[in-house]
Amino acid sequence: MFANYLIGLREGLEAALVVSILVAYLVKSERRELLARIWAGVALAVGVSLAFGFALFYGPRGLTFEAQEAIGGTLSILAVGLVTWMIFWMATAARTLSGELRGQIDRAAEGSWFALVLVAVLAVGREGLETALFLWSATEAVTRDSDATWQPLLGAGLGIATAAAVGYLLYRGAITINLSRFFAWTGGFLIIVAAGVLAYGVHDLQEAGILPGLNTLAWDVSDVIEPSTWYAALLKGVFNFSPATTVLEAVVWVLYAVPTMTLFVRGVRRRSAAPARPAAQPAAPVGH
Protein backbone atom coordinates (compact mmCIF):
# COMPACT_ATOMS: atom_id res chain seq x y z
CA MET A 1 0.00 0.00 0.00
CA PHE A 2 2.79 2.45 0.87
CA ALA A 3 4.59 2.20 -2.48
CA ASN A 4 1.35 2.69 -4.38
CA TYR A 5 0.31 5.47 -2.00
CA LEU A 6 3.51 7.32 -2.85
CA ILE A 7 2.97 6.77 -6.57
CA GLY A 8 -0.56 8.12 -6.33
CA LEU A 9 0.60 11.04 -4.15
CA ARG A 10 3.43 12.11 -6.43
CA GLU A 11 1.60 11.69 -9.72
CA GLY A 12 -1.58 13.15 -8.28
CA LEU A 13 0.27 16.16 -6.89
CA GLU A 14 1.80 16.85 -10.29
CA ALA A 15 -1.67 16.88 -11.83
CA ALA A 16 -3.03 18.97 -8.93
CA LEU A 17 -0.24 21.52 -9.40
CA VAL A 18 -1.05 21.78 -13.09
CA VAL A 19 -4.76 22.32 -12.40
CA SER A 20 -4.08 24.87 -9.64
CA ILE A 21 -1.76 26.83 -11.94
CA LEU A 22 -4.33 26.89 -14.74
CA VAL A 23 -7.21 27.88 -12.46
CA ALA A 24 -5.26 30.45 -10.44
CA TYR A 25 -3.96 32.18 -13.57
CA LEU A 26 -7.42 32.48 -15.12
CA VAL A 27 -8.88 33.78 -11.86
CA LYS A 28 -6.11 36.32 -11.29
CA SER A 29 -6.28 37.51 -14.90
CA GLU A 30 -10.05 37.97 -14.54
CA ARG A 31 -11.00 35.36 -17.10
CA ARG A 32 -13.27 33.25 -14.93
CA GLU A 33 -15.58 32.59 -17.88
CA LEU A 34 -12.89 30.28 -19.27
CA LEU A 35 -12.76 28.07 -16.15
CA ALA A 36 -15.49 25.78 -17.50
CA ARG A 37 -13.19 24.82 -20.38
CA ILE A 38 -10.40 23.93 -17.96
CA TRP A 39 -12.70 21.74 -15.86
CA ALA A 40 -14.10 20.12 -19.00
CA GLY A 41 -10.56 19.24 -20.06
CA VAL A 42 -9.73 17.89 -16.60
CA ALA A 43 -12.89 15.74 -16.58
CA LEU A 44 -12.09 14.42 -20.05
CA ALA A 45 -8.51 13.60 -19.04
CA VAL A 46 -9.68 11.77 -15.91
CA GLY A 47 -12.21 9.80 -17.94
CA VAL A 48 -9.62 8.76 -20.51
CA SER A 49 -7.18 7.73 -17.74
CA LEU A 50 -9.84 5.62 -15.99
CA ALA A 51 -10.81 3.98 -19.27
CA PHE A 52 -7.14 3.24 -19.97
CA GLY A 53 -6.73 1.69 -16.53
CA PHE A 54 -9.88 -0.39 -17.01
CA ALA A 55 -8.57 -1.63 -20.37
CA LEU A 56 -5.23 -2.56 -18.81
CA PHE A 57 -6.90 -4.54 -16.04
CA TYR A 58 -9.47 -6.43 -18.13
CA GLY A 59 -7.93 -6.36 -21.62
CA PRO A 60 -5.43 -9.24 -21.33
CA ARG A 61 -7.98 -11.61 -19.78
CA GLY A 62 -9.05 -14.42 -22.05
CA LEU A 63 -5.68 -14.57 -23.80
CA THR A 64 -3.24 -17.43 -23.46
CA PHE A 65 -0.85 -17.40 -20.52
CA GLU A 66 2.12 -16.64 -22.78
CA ALA A 67 0.28 -13.76 -24.43
CA GLN A 68 -0.72 -12.28 -21.08
CA GLU A 69 2.85 -12.47 -19.83
CA ALA A 70 4.21 -10.92 -23.04
CA ILE A 71 1.75 -8.02 -22.85
CA GLY A 72 2.32 -7.54 -19.12
CA GLY A 73 6.10 -7.59 -19.46
CA THR A 74 6.11 -5.16 -22.38
CA LEU A 75 3.78 -2.71 -20.62
CA SER A 76 5.82 -2.91 -17.41
CA ILE A 77 9.00 -1.99 -19.29
CA LEU A 78 7.13 0.84 -21.03
CA ALA A 79 5.84 2.06 -17.66
CA VAL A 80 9.38 2.15 -16.28
CA GLY A 81 10.55 4.17 -19.27
CA LEU A 82 7.73 6.69 -18.84
CA VAL A 83 8.11 7.08 -15.08
CA THR A 84 11.90 7.46 -15.42
CA TRP A 85 11.42 10.25 -17.95
CA MET A 86 8.82 11.83 -15.65
CA ILE A 87 11.16 11.73 -12.64
CA PHE A 88 13.99 13.52 -14.44
CA TRP A 89 11.69 15.93 -16.28
CA MET A 90 9.84 17.04 -13.17
CA ALA A 91 13.09 17.51 -11.25
CA THR A 92 14.28 20.02 -13.85
CA ALA A 93 10.98 21.59 -14.95
CA ALA A 94 9.33 22.27 -11.58
CA ARG A 95 10.66 25.83 -11.44
CA THR A 96 9.53 26.79 -14.94
CA LEU A 97 6.27 24.83 -15.09
CA SER A 98 4.11 27.78 -14.06
CA GLY A 99 5.43 30.08 -16.77
CA GLU A 100 5.08 27.45 -19.49
CA LEU A 101 1.46 26.70 -18.59
CA ARG A 102 0.56 30.39 -18.45
CA GLY A 103 1.98 30.87 -21.92
CA GLN A 104 -0.07 27.93 -23.21
CA ILE A 105 -3.22 29.41 -21.66
CA ASP A 106 -2.65 32.81 -23.29
CA ARG A 107 -2.16 31.24 -26.69
CA ALA A 108 -5.13 28.89 -26.33
CA ALA A 109 -7.47 31.63 -25.10
CA GLU A 110 -6.96 33.46 -28.37
CA GLY A 111 -7.98 30.42 -30.42
CA SER A 112 -11.12 28.29 -30.56
CA TRP A 113 -13.03 27.25 -27.43
CA PHE A 114 -11.66 23.71 -27.68
CA ALA A 115 -8.03 24.91 -27.60
CA LEU A 116 -8.19 25.62 -23.86
CA VAL A 117 -9.91 22.29 -23.24
CA LEU A 118 -7.07 20.62 -25.13
CA VAL A 119 -4.46 22.37 -22.97
CA ALA A 120 -6.05 20.90 -19.83
CA VAL A 121 -6.49 17.46 -21.44
CA LEU A 122 -2.85 17.25 -22.49
CA ALA A 123 -1.46 18.68 -19.25
CA VAL A 124 -3.53 16.47 -16.93
CA GLY A 125 -4.02 13.49 -19.23
CA ARG A 126 -0.30 12.87 -19.54
CA GLU A 127 -0.04 12.47 -15.78
CA GLY A 128 -3.19 10.36 -15.69
CA LEU A 129 -2.04 7.90 -18.34
CA GLU A 130 1.40 7.58 -16.75
CA THR A 131 -0.24 6.98 -13.38
CA ALA A 132 -2.63 4.35 -14.73
CA LEU A 133 0.14 2.45 -16.51
CA PHE A 134 2.65 2.56 -13.67
CA LEU A 135 0.08 1.73 -11.00
CA TRP A 136 -1.15 -1.21 -13.05
CA SER A 137 2.41 -2.50 -13.49
CA ALA A 138 3.25 -2.02 -9.80
CA THR A 139 -0.02 -3.67 -8.74
CA GLU A 140 0.52 -6.63 -11.03
CA ALA A 141 4.06 -7.00 -9.69
CA VAL A 142 2.99 -7.33 -6.07
CA THR A 143 -0.23 -9.32 -6.55
CA ARG A 144 0.74 -11.98 -9.08
CA ASP A 145 0.71 -14.61 -6.33
CA SER A 146 -2.11 -13.04 -4.32
CA ASP A 147 -5.71 -11.99 -4.74
CA ALA A 148 -5.34 -8.93 -2.48
CA THR A 149 -5.47 -6.41 -5.32
CA TRP A 150 -7.55 -4.03 -3.21
CA GLN A 151 -4.60 -3.10 -0.97
CA PRO A 152 -2.36 -1.47 -3.62
CA LEU A 153 -5.41 0.10 -5.28
CA LEU A 154 -6.54 1.50 -1.92
CA GLY A 155 -3.06 2.88 -1.33
CA ALA A 156 -3.05 4.55 -4.75
CA GLY A 157 -6.52 5.97 -4.18
CA LEU A 158 -5.51 7.42 -0.82
CA GLY A 159 -2.42 8.92 -2.41
CA ILE A 160 -4.44 10.61 -5.14
CA ALA A 161 -6.96 11.88 -2.59
CA THR A 162 -4.14 13.31 -0.47
CA ALA A 163 -2.64 14.96 -3.55
CA ALA A 164 -5.99 16.57 -4.39
CA ALA A 165 -6.28 17.94 -0.84
CA VAL A 166 -2.69 19.24 -0.86
CA GLY A 167 -3.22 20.81 -4.28
CA TYR A 168 -6.30 22.64 -3.03
CA LEU A 169 -4.47 23.89 0.07
CA LEU A 170 -1.57 25.09 -2.08
CA TYR A 171 -4.02 26.91 -4.33
CA ARG A 172 -5.66 28.63 -1.38
CA GLY A 173 -2.29 29.51 0.10
CA ALA A 174 -2.99 27.56 3.29
CA ILE A 175 0.27 25.60 3.07
CA THR A 176 3.62 25.81 1.32
CA ILE A 177 5.98 22.97 0.48
CA ASN A 178 9.45 22.80 -0.99
CA LEU A 179 8.58 21.21 -4.32
CA SER A 180 12.21 20.66 -5.35
CA ARG A 181 12.91 18.71 -2.17
CA PHE A 182 9.61 16.81 -2.41
CA PHE A 183 10.25 15.68 -5.98
CA ALA A 184 13.87 14.83 -5.14
CA TRP A 185 12.96 12.45 -2.29
CA THR A 186 9.98 10.87 -4.03
CA GLY A 187 11.93 10.60 -7.27
CA GLY A 188 14.68 8.62 -5.56
CA PHE A 189 12.15 6.26 -3.98
CA LEU A 190 10.31 5.76 -7.27
CA ILE A 191 13.56 4.79 -8.99
CA ILE A 192 13.78 1.86 -6.57
CA VAL A 193 10.13 0.97 -7.21
CA ALA A 194 10.67 1.26 -10.97
CA ALA A 195 13.69 -1.05 -10.78
CA GLY A 196 11.47 -3.70 -9.20
CA VAL A 197 8.77 -3.20 -11.84
CA LEU A 198 11.41 -3.54 -14.55
CA ALA A 199 12.66 -6.80 -13.06
CA TYR A 200 9.07 -8.01 -12.88
CA GLY A 201 8.57 -7.13 -16.54
CA VAL A 202 11.68 -9.08 -17.49
CA HIS A 203 10.40 -12.08 -15.52
CA ASP A 204 7.10 -11.89 -17.42
CA LEU A 205 8.95 -11.95 -20.73
CA GLN A 206 10.92 -14.94 -19.49
CA GLU A 207 7.71 -16.76 -18.65
CA ALA A 208 6.37 -15.87 -22.11
CA GLY A 209 9.43 -17.53 -23.66
CA ILE A 210 10.66 -14.26 -25.21
CA LEU A 211 13.70 -13.94 -22.94
CA PRO A 212 15.86 -16.87 -21.79
CA GLY A 213 17.00 -17.88 -18.33
CA LEU A 214 13.72 -18.57 -16.55
CA ASN A 215 15.24 -21.48 -14.62
CA THR A 216 18.66 -19.89 -14.09
CA LEU A 217 18.40 -18.46 -10.59
CA ALA A 218 20.67 -15.89 -8.98
CA TRP A 219 19.34 -16.95 -5.58
CA ASP A 220 16.47 -18.86 -4.01
CA VAL A 221 15.80 -18.01 -0.37
CA SER A 222 12.24 -19.31 -0.29
CA ASP A 223 13.09 -21.54 2.66
CA VAL A 224 14.33 -18.51 4.64
CA ILE A 225 11.84 -15.81 3.60
CA GLU A 226 8.34 -17.21 3.81
CA PRO A 227 6.17 -15.43 1.18
CA SER A 228 3.22 -15.25 3.61
CA THR A 229 5.12 -13.21 6.25
CA TRP A 230 4.72 -9.46 6.71
CA TYR A 231 8.36 -8.70 5.92
CA ALA A 232 8.14 -10.70 2.69
CA ALA A 233 5.08 -8.62 1.74
CA LEU A 234 7.00 -5.44 2.60
CA LEU A 235 9.99 -6.43 0.48
CA LYS A 236 7.69 -7.43 -2.38
CA GLY A 237 5.57 -4.29 -2.21
CA VAL A 238 8.42 -1.78 -2.01
CA PHE A 239 11.33 -3.44 -3.81
CA ASN A 240 9.48 -6.17 -5.74
CA PHE A 241 11.90 -8.60 -4.11
CA SER A 242 11.27 -12.21 -5.09
CA PRO A 243 12.70 -15.04 -2.96
CA ALA A 244 13.48 -16.88 -6.22
CA THR A 245 15.13 -14.37 -8.57
CA THR A 246 16.60 -15.20 -11.95
CA VAL A 247 20.04 -14.02 -12.97
CA LEU A 248 18.60 -11.81 -15.71
CA GLU A 249 16.18 -10.14 -13.28
CA ALA A 250 19.01 -9.35 -10.84
CA VAL A 251 21.28 -8.03 -13.60
CA VAL A 252 18.56 -5.82 -15.07
CA TRP A 253 17.68 -4.45 -11.61
CA VAL A 254 21.29 -3.45 -10.94
CA LEU A 255 21.90 -2.08 -14.45
CA TYR A 256 18.84 0.16 -14.12
CA ALA A 257 18.92 1.20 -10.46
CA VAL A 258 22.62 2.03 -10.03
CA PRO A 259 23.23 4.35 -13.02
CA THR A 260 19.75 5.90 -12.86
CA MET A 261 20.05 6.69 -9.16
CA THR A 262 23.58 8.02 -9.67
CA LEU A 263 22.50 10.39 -12.44
CA PHE A 264 19.47 11.50 -10.46
CA VAL A 265 21.42 12.24 -7.27
CA ARG A 266 24.09 14.12 -9.23
CA GLY A 267 21.38 16.23 -10.89
CA VAL A 268 19.76 17.01 -7.55
CA ARG A 269 23.08 18.03 -6.00
CA ARG A 270 24.00 20.17 -9.02
CA ARG A 271 20.71 22.05 -8.89
CA SER A 272 21.00 22.48 -5.12
CA ALA A 273 24.49 23.94 -5.48
CA ALA A 274 23.46 26.32 -8.27
CA PRO A 275 22.91 30.00 -7.32
CA ALA A 276 19.34 30.65 -6.24
CA ARG A 277 17.18 32.34 -8.86
CA PRO A 278 13.80 33.96 -8.49
CA ALA A 279 11.21 31.34 -9.39
CA ALA A 280 7.53 31.70 -10.17
CA GLN A 281 5.31 30.10 -7.56
CA PRO A 282 3.21 27.22 -8.92
CA ALA A 283 -0.02 28.67 -7.55
CA ALA A 284 -0.59 31.79 -5.52
CA PRO A 285 -3.56 32.39 -3.20
CA VAL A 286 -6.49 33.74 -5.19
CA GLY A 287 -7.12 36.54 -2.75
CA HIS A 288 -3.57 38.00 -2.99
Side-chain angles (χ1 to χ4, degrees), residues 90-116:
M90 198 61 191
T92 57
R95 295 182 178 181
T96 60
L97 182 62
S98 179
E100 293 177 1
L101 288 173
R102 291 176 181 182
Q104 292 179 14
I105 287 179
D106 289 335
R107 291 189 296 270
E110 298 174 357
S112 64
W113 70 271
F114 187 72
L116 202 54

Side-chain angles (χ1 to χ4, degrees), residues 22-34:
L22 296 176
V23 172
Y25 184 54
L26 287 178
V27 171
K28 293 178 68 176
S29 59
E30 299 182 353
R31 290 182 283 184
R32 291 177 178 268
E33 70 278 3
L34 300 179

Side-chain angles (χ1 to χ4, degrees), residues 212-223:
L214 179 61
N215 298 315
T216 306
L217 299 181
W219 61 75
D220 187 354
V221 293
S222 302
D223 55 339

Side-chain angles (χ1 to χ4, degrees), residues 48-190:
V48 171
S49 301
L50 290 175
F52 181 59
F54 185 85
L56 287 174
F57 186 78
Y58 290 103
R61 297 188 177 186
L63 300 176
T64 64
F65 174 78
E66 289 76 12
Q68 292 184 39
E69 297 301 291
I71 293 174
T74 301
L75 290 179
S76 294
I77 294 173
L78 176 61
V80 170
L82 288 175
V83 80
T84 303
W85 171 83
M86 175 271 297
I87 289 170
F88 282 93
W89 177 83
M90 198 61 191
T92 57
R95 295 182 178 181
T96 60
L97 182 62
S98 179
E100 293 177 1
L101 288 173
R102 291 176 181 182
Q104 292 179 14
I105 287 179
D106 289 335
R107 291 189 296 270
E110 298 174 357
S112 64
W113 70 271
F114 187 72
L116 202 54
V117 176
L118 187 60
V119 169
V121 169
L122 295 178
V124 179
R126 178 187 62 193
E127 307 296 341
L129 293 177
E130 287 179 356
T131 302
L133 181 56
F134 195 61
L135 283 176
W136 175 82
S137 299
T139 300
E140 287 290 300
V142 300
T143 59
R144 63 181 304 152
D145 300 319
S146 170
D147 294 327
T149 56
W150 65 270
Q151 294 175 344
L153 293 179
L154 176 61
L158 291 174
I160 293 173
T162 303
V166 171
Y168 176 77
L169 293 175
L170 285 172
Y171 170 76
R172 302 301 301 182
I175 62 172
T176 57
I177 61 174
N178 187 321
L179 294 178
S180 297
R181 183 172 298 177
F182 172 82
F183 287 123
W185 282 100
T186 56
F189 183 81
L190 284 184

